Amino acid sequence: MKGRIFRIQRFSIHDGYGIRTTVFLKGCPLHCVWCHNPESQSFEPEVGYKAEKCLSCHKCAEVCDRGAIIPAEIGIEINREMCDGCGKCVEACSGRALEMFGKDVSVEEVIALVERDRVFYENSGGGGDVFRW
Ligand code: SF4
Ligand code: SF4
């Protein structure tokens, strides 16, 4: 069985007392106005862009078959209606300005990653939920 996630955050300390590994799922239907992770809302894979990291090399635009990346004098713009989430631009980006949100992973893959921190949870007692913080 596979599910779509956009991030796995190890040593997560902001959602309750203690430590935890947080698996962020893609495709949240709630769309809260105060959402801290808007990249979670769409079920479809999405390219994230951090302008402050962009080198303006425009290699991303060269590899995009769909013409979804528009080079600008400084940085780029992404036409999200043209983008199909193929991820080629992310692979081409040496500045790490682009990130793909949305990856299909198996339960086994997620558990294998979470298990890496088992020793910390066993020694610390792990974390609790935010309602008992
Ligand atoms: S490849 Fe990366 S660093 Fe280069 S223009 Fe595109 S987003 Fe910016
Ligand atoms: S994910 Fe693919 S289609 Fe979308 S902007 Fe990047 S290269 Fe273009």
Side-chain angles (χ1 to χ4, degrees), residues 47 64 66 68-69 83-89:
V47 179
C64 179
R66 298 178 65 91
I69 294 187
C83 174
D84 66 358
C86 72
K88 287 182 189 168
C89 56

Side-chain angles (χ1 to χ4, degrees), residues 45-47 60-70 76-80 82-91 98 100:
E46 296 170 288
V47 179
C60 50
E62 288 169 23
V63 299
C64 179
D65 300 329
R66 298 178 65 91
I69 294 187
I70 303 125
I76 58 162
E77 286 184 31
I78 302 173
N79 182 335
R80 297 194 179 275
M82 302 284 284
C83 174
D84 66 358
C86 72
K88 287 182 189 168
C89 56
V90 178
E91 287 171 27
L98 297 174
M100 181 57 72

Side-chain angles (χ1 to χ4, degrees), residues 97-131:
L98 297 174
E99 183 178 353
M100 181 57 72
F101 296 113
K103 183 180 175 191
D104 293 337
V105 292
S106 68
V107 174
E108 291 76 17
E109 285 175 280
V110 172
I111 294 299
L113 201 143
V114 172
E115 284 275 347
R116 285 193 210 167
D117 293 329
R118 174 186 281 276
V119 64
F120 298 109
Y121 298 126
E122 288 179 346
N123 280 280
S124 71
D129 64 61
V130 72
F131 301 110

Side-chain angles (χ1 to χ4, degrees), residues 30-77:
L30 298 180
H31 297 192
C32 305
V33 291
W34 57 83
C35 180
H36 282 201
N37 300 293
E39 65 273 39
S40 71
Q41 294 185 0
S42 169
F43 185 72
E44 300 305 322
E46 296 170 288
V47 179
Y49 172 55
K50 285 188 178 159
E52 69 274 15
K53 289 190 170 182
C54 181
L55 308 171
S56 299
C57 65
H58 300 149
K59 286 184 187 149
C60 50
E62 288 169 23
V63 299
C64 179
D65 300 329
R66 298 178 65 91
I69 294 187
I70 303 125
E73 193 175 339
I74 298 174
I76 58 162
E77 286 184 31

